[in-house]
Amino acid sequence: MDEGRGELAGIAREARVLLERERARGRSRFVLGDAAIAAGDAAASSDVPEPATSEVLALPGFESAAAPRATPIPVAQPLAPSAALPQDLLALAKVVSTCRKCSLCETRTQTVFADGPATARLLLVGEAPGRDEDAQGIPFVGRAGQLLNKMLAAIDLKREEVYICNVLKCRPPENRTPVPEEVERCLPYLEQQIALIRPSLICALGLSAAQALLRTKASMTSMRGRLFEFRGVPLIPTYHPAALLRNPGLKREAWIDLQRVRDALRAGGTA
């Protein structure tokens, strides 16, 4: 035991020598691991103040010593309505109906703003309108919409209780995936909707919706099953109902996500 303590003390002294050399060279300061400090002379170790941002000195046998303090990640400010856009949903829908910010205005039948009450606790965000939505001006009314209604019923929700919208307000030709420029032009409308609704929970339906809201290129596989936050609002990503129609094998994972949505709502928006 005494021999082990002596070895630790020796390593600690060696580390302090290295530390003093680094200081003399004007290089960054190091902090000894807790085990090495404890094993050395207390008076000598107290002479090494810990800087605000420090680097662990790697010594043999101490690779897992005290890690440097993590730099706090800035928390996004809670979403507030933009002063540049209307402060109520009806006026915002009117602005959207005449939008010509991208080329989709040339091919749309009409814009598709949203469906559902302004008092909804759950806000669902899809990718973009499809053919049926473009014809009727209401989101999720085709086959995917019918499946969505069943999904909501499975967690004891009615469609009339939920606010439903898309990232894009116009149908991309042939239902293609939205391009980044289209998303960037349309995203302020969605953000304003979220800010005016102030939901307790957001569920992003599909990869495009999740990537747009979270500003990420991550895959759905890596995102689903986790709880995110969109400017103060909890967000759960899951598969788009259209993806479930194409690949029924995904329904099991989608059901797990839906139960999480249900439980989060019951817990007041946290999961």
Side-chain angles (χ1 to χ4, degrees):
M1 181 66 71
D2 291 339
E3 181 180 350
R5 289 177 179 172
E7 182 179 352
L8 288 176
I11 292 175
R13 286 193 295 272
E14 178 185 350
R16 292 192 189 91
V17 172
L18 291 175
L19 175 62
E20 293 302 326
R21 289 177 182 173
E22 295 298 328
R23 284 177 175 172
R25 293 173 184 171
R27 296 175 60 178
S28 62
R29 300 161 78 183
F30 295 85
V31 177
L32 299 177
D34 290 341
I37 291 176
D41 182 78
S45 65
S46 63
D47 292 334
V48 185
E50 181 177 344
T53 302
S54 56
E55 181 179 352
V56 171
L57 179 60
L59 294 174
F62 290 88
E63 291 81 4
S64 60
R69 292 183 178 137
T71 302
I73 299 174
V75 178
Q77 293 298 317
L79 186 63
S82 169
L85 290 170
Q87 302 300 297
D88 67 86
L89 293 168
L90 288 177
L92 181 62
K94 185 174 181 180
V95 169
V96 169
S97 69
T98 60
C99 179
R100 301 187 67 81
K101 289 184 177 181
C102 73
S103 60
L104 293 181
C105 67
E106 304 293 340
T107 57
R108 72 188 181 208
T109 300
Q110 58 187 314
T111 58
V112 181
F113 185 70
D115 186 32
T119 56
R121 295 182 60 223
L122 175 62
L123 187 145
L124 301 177
V125 182
E127 176 181 280
R131 180 186 59 189
D132 295 320
E133 290 76 16
D134 179 62
Q136 299 183 42
I138 303 173
F140 286 89
V141 292
R143 290 183 61 219
Q146 295 169 14
L147 178 56
L148 178 62
N149 294 344
K150 296 177 181 178
M151 292 165 65
L152 290 172
I155 55 173
D156 302 320
L157 286 175
K158 298 178 182 178
R159 182 184 173 108
E160 294 76 20
E161 300 175 294
V162 178
Y163 192 86
I164 306 172
C165 56
N166 287 300
V167 175
L168 296 193
K169 311 308 182 189
C170 300
R171 179 197 181 196
E174 305 303 321
N175 292 354
R176 62 163 171 75
T177 301
V179 299
E181 179 187 358
E182 294 164 352
V183 172
E184 287 301 316
R185 298 289 176 85
C186 225
L187 199 55
Y189 296 139
L190 174 60
E191 292 178 340
Q192 191 76 340
Q193 285 176 293
I194 297 173
L196 294 174
I197 294 294
R198 297 188 179 278
S200 300
L201 180 67
I202 298 171
C203 182
L205 300 171
L207 182 61
S208 292
Q211 288 181 337
L213 287 171
L214 298 175
R215 299 284 185 169
T216 181
K217 295 295 183 182
S219 66
M220 178 56 73
T221 300
S222 66
M223 287 189 287
R224 65 155 303 276
R226 300 167 59 191
L227 179 70
F228 296 88
E229 186 177 280
F230 177 75
R231 301 194 188 178
V233 182
L235 184 151
I236 294 177
T238 190
Y239 297 107
H240 193 285
L244 303 181
L245 291 172
R246 293 191 300 267
N247 186 355
L250 298 176
K251 288 184 178 180
R252 180 179 179 278
E253 293 179 346
W255 172 235
I256 294 174
D257 297 335
L258 283 174
Q259 292 178 86
R260 216 168 165 209
V261 168
R262 177 197 63 199
D263 295 342
L265 287 173
R266 291 176 178 174
T270 58

